[in-house]
Amino acid sequence: FGFTDELERNEALQWTFFWHGSGAPYQGQTNHFGKFAKEKIPYAIERFHNETLRVYDVLEIRLSGRYTGEPRDYLAGAGKGKYSVADIKTWPWVKGWEFSGFKKEELDKFPHLLKWIDRIAERPAVKAGIGEKYQ
């Protein structure tokens, strides 16, 4: 799930760090303030909700090829990309968008991201890893 090519390897690291430095903290705070905090603070709920959507848009830009003209299947790697640690570390969070309180209408702005979620969910090892045995 890694790369031998240094450029691709660094790209995978960049997307991994991007998610863990922005997406995961924002979506985690969305979960906390929206679902678990005893005191509902509208500013915090709205801020982290919107920041998570902004990060989803960055993923959509990458996957859609909006600025390159080349849509991608995965976050890192040449061409359409290769399933890698960047996807493995990002997908479990993003697939939980409904749990985090996002509405389908909000995610409809990210069709390539939704296809990426579904594409990864269909992988046999992913199916086994998130199956009933682990629920």
Side-chain angles (χ1 to χ4, degrees):
F1 304 107
F3 297 94
T4 55
D5 178 83
E6 283 299 310
L7 182 61
E8 291 177 310
R9 182 173 119 15
N10 284 314
E11 194 174 62
L13 286 172
Q14 288 171 28
W15 282 103
T16 300
F17 294 154
F18 168 77
W19 178 257
H20 282 278
S22 59
Y26 289 141
Q27 192 163 345
Q29 294 298 334
T30 298
N31 294 342
H32 172 74
F33 286 108
K35 295 177 96 51
F36 304 114
K38 290 179 184 176
E39 180 186 353
K40 297 303 178 198
I41 304 169
Y43 169 79
I45 293 167
E46 182 180 354
R47 178 177 191 273
F48 291 113
H49 184 93
N50 290 339
E51 286 299 315
T52 304
L53 289 174
R54 183 186 60 78
V55 170
Y56 285 0
D57 192 48
V58 172
L59 295 173
E60 176 68 17
I61 288 168
R62 176 66 171 170
L63 294 166
S64 71
R66 187 179 305 166
Y67 299 116
T68 64
E70 297 181 31
R72 305 178 56 82
D73 290 339
Y74 301 105
L75 294 172
K80 291 196 171 284
K82 172 186 161 189
Y83 183 65
S84 74
V85 68
D87 303 289
I88 293 166
K89 290 181 166 285
T90 304
W91 181 81
W93 283 87
V94 179
K95 80 167 180 65
W97 60 267
E98 288 176 290
F99 175 83
S100 295
F102 295 99
K103 296 180 175 45
K104 178 74 168 98
E105 301 79 48
E106 292 174 299
L107 271 286
D108 284 343
K109 297 185 298 188
F110 312 120
H112 293 86
L113 183 63
L114 291 172
K115 288 177 195 169
W116 173 81
I117 292 168
D118 292 343
R119 181 179 307 111
I120 292 173
E122 289 303 312
R123 296 179 64 88
V126 172
K127 282 183 176 181
I130 63 169
E132 283 185 31
K133 180 178 174 181
Y134 298 100
Q135 300 302 318

